[in-house]
Amino acid sequence: MKQLMEKIIITESELKERIAALGLQITKDYQDKPLVIVSILKGSFIFTSDLIRQIQLPLTVDFMAVSSYGNATQSTGVVKIIKDLDKSIEGKHILIVEDIIDSGLTLTYLKEILSARGTASIKICTLLDKPAHRKEKVAIDYVGFEVPDEFIVGYGIDYAEQYRNLPYIGILKREVYEK
Ligand code: IMP
Ligand code: MG
């Protein structure tokens, strides 16, 4: 698969090291606050599974799926709930775990609908932050890495449902998605 990559920008060991640091920080910040991890499918499933094993606190995990990109590489701004949470989050401390924040539209919308459910607090943890064309200003509490304005895949993040299984984060060659 490496031949489809323009460049590997974050290696497997860099991911591991950074996620351990994020887990430690979250562990410190949520002492005495029962934590609910809200993982945004599908892109953040690998990040979530590695991150929660670095958090030394009691916690629960719930999943939500929203539509954003389809198969295109540009955000449409249309966000739809495809799968909602299983459990009520009223009175809970929520940490939203996302794969990548680009325009910020998805997270702005999600934070609004989740806080309307009467949560005690909501914070955001994203593995990747792509600030180049942010449309909605969104406060991000934990960021793994800032990435350039390129189309990124790997470690859970897809292009047309492919490449989620790459153990690293890379930039796909243009010819792969401009075919
Ligand atoms: P936003 O609403 O523009 O912030 O988009 C966030 C969502 O778009 C992410 O959760 C990803 O699913 C998707 N996305 C944004 N940038 C990329 C990328 O470079 N590669 C793959 N998916 C992306
Ligand atoms: Mg996503």
Side-chain angles (χ1 to χ4, degrees), residues 13-80:
S13 62
E14 286 167 339
L15 284 165
K16 204 172 168 206
E17 195 180 316
R18 184 72 191 114
I19 291 165
L22 286 173
L24 192 64
Q25 187 61 52
I26 293 165
T27 303
K28 285 183 184 150
D29 295 350
Y30 283 87
Q31 297 289 326
D32 308 314
K33 283 187 199 162
L35 177 59
V36 179
I37 301 285
V38 171
S39 174
I40 310 306
L41 296 171
K42 299 175 195 165
S44 70
F45 80 106
I46 294 178
F47 176 42
T48 301
S49 71
D50 283 343
L51 179 68
I52 61 171
R53 283 176 285 176
Q54 301 297 327
I55 302 174
Q56 312 294 322
L57 293 172
L59 57 79
T60 62
V61 186
D62 207 342
F63 295 94
M64 200 161 177
V66 295
S67 75
S68 49
Y69 272 55
N71 285 354
T73 57
Q74 289 286 305
S75 183
T76 56
V78 180
V79 180
K80 192 172 84 187

Side-chain angles (χ1 to χ4, degrees), residues 40-44 64-83 98-110 130 135 151 156-161 164:
I40 310 306
L41 296 171
K42 299 175 195 165
S44 70
M64 200 161 177
V66 295
S67 75
S68 49
Y69 272 55
N71 285 354
T73 57
Q74 289 286 305
S75 183
T76 56
V78 180
V79 180
K80 192 172 84 187
I81 296 180
I82 295 167
K83 185 222 170 288
E98 177 62 304
D99 53 356
I100 178 166
I101 300 180
D102 183 12
S103 70
L105 294 169
T106 308
L107 256 293
T108 302
Y109 174 79
L110 266 180
K130 191 159 75 170
K135 289 195 190 110
F151 198 75
I157 301 170
D158 74 309
Y159 168 64
E161 295 299 327
R164 295 192 198 274

